[in-house]
Amino acid sequence: MEKHVKYCPYCKKYQPSTFYDCAFCLRKLWLLKDWEETEDEEKEDWLKYPMPAKDISGMDSDLVKKNQNKATAYDTKIKAEIQEKLDEERRKAEEEAAKPVYTPKCPTCGSPDLEKIGTASKVLDVAFWGFASGKAKKTFHCNNCGYEW
């Protein structure tokens, strides 16, 4: 998408950066980036402004039609780019969600009901049994069968 896309919040249309006013309602255009970063309250206040002093009926109809056609084509192009970007993000999110999540299982009974053996538990076991303690080398404890590995 182009860097300086302009947006008319009244018409909800994207317009080329060469336009200062909307080709349809003659209101001031916003840079799309600025409009998206604006707080909702400020957007609501902006939309309450009355119609512009310019009257589109007093302008050269051929020029108006030419600008409106250009703005419509540009709006269609930008909306397609935005939709393509949204589709790509949705597709990536679906692929990420479809990836299998690894769940460790007990090698003895196959139960996924495991508990990670904490450092404090290992230290206490070594303190009680000395270096003969086998728990210092273990990582998981199965809550189903009690096996530790």
Side-chain angles (χ1 to χ4, degrees):
M1 188 182 328
E2 294 179 29
K3 187 176 180 180
H4 300 290
V5 175
K6 291 197 175 177
Y7 179 71
C8 178
Y10 298 100
C11 300
K12 296 181 179 30
K13 292 186 183 266
Y14 303 96
Q15 300 189 26
S17 61
T18 56
F19 287 21
Y20 180 74
D21 293 327
C22 175
F24 300 95
C25 68
L26 297 179
R27 289 186 171 111
K28 183 180 179 242
L29 295 171
W30 283 68
L31 279 172
L32 180 60
K33 182 178 143 264
D34 293 343
W35 181 256
E36 289 173 344
E37 293 173 357
T38 303
E39 297 292 326
D40 289 339
E41 291 176 10
E42 189 176 342
K43 287 179 181 180
E44 289 174 17
D45 289 343
W46 181 260
L47 290 170
K48 290 178 185 174
Y49 286 143
M51 288 295 289
K54 297 177 188 175
D55 183 13
I56 203 162
S57 63
M59 298 176 72
D60 179 22
S61 62
D62 291 336
L63 180 63
V64 169
K65 195 66 170 165
K66 179 182 169 192
N67 284 341
Q68 287 178 345
N69 289 341
K70 183 178 179 182
T72 300
Y74 189 81
D75 180 63
T76 303
K77 174 186 156 204
I78 295 297
K79 284 181 178 175
E81 289 178 14
I82 290 170
Q83 187 61 45
E84 184 177 310
K85 186 177 178 182
L86 290 173
D87 290 345
E88 179 68 19
E89 289 173 359
R90 188 187 77 239
R91 187 188 58 76
K92 284 182 182 179
E94 287 172 355
E95 285 177 1
E96 194 66 32
K99 286 183 182 176
V101 178
Y102 174 72
T103 305
K105 295 181 178 148
C106 175
T108 304
C109 68
S111 172
D113 186 17
L114 305 176
E115 187 176 298
K116 192 165 173 94
I117 299 173
T119 306
S121 176
K122 291 179 183 183
V123 169
L124 286 173
D125 198 54
V126 169
F128 187 73
W129 294 102
F131 288 104
S133 166
K135 195 179 254 188
K137 299 174 190 170
K138 313 287 182 179
T139 307
F140 289 104
H141 171 82
C142 177
N143 293 327
N144 191 34
C145 69
Y147 182 70
E148 291 181 344
W149 74 100

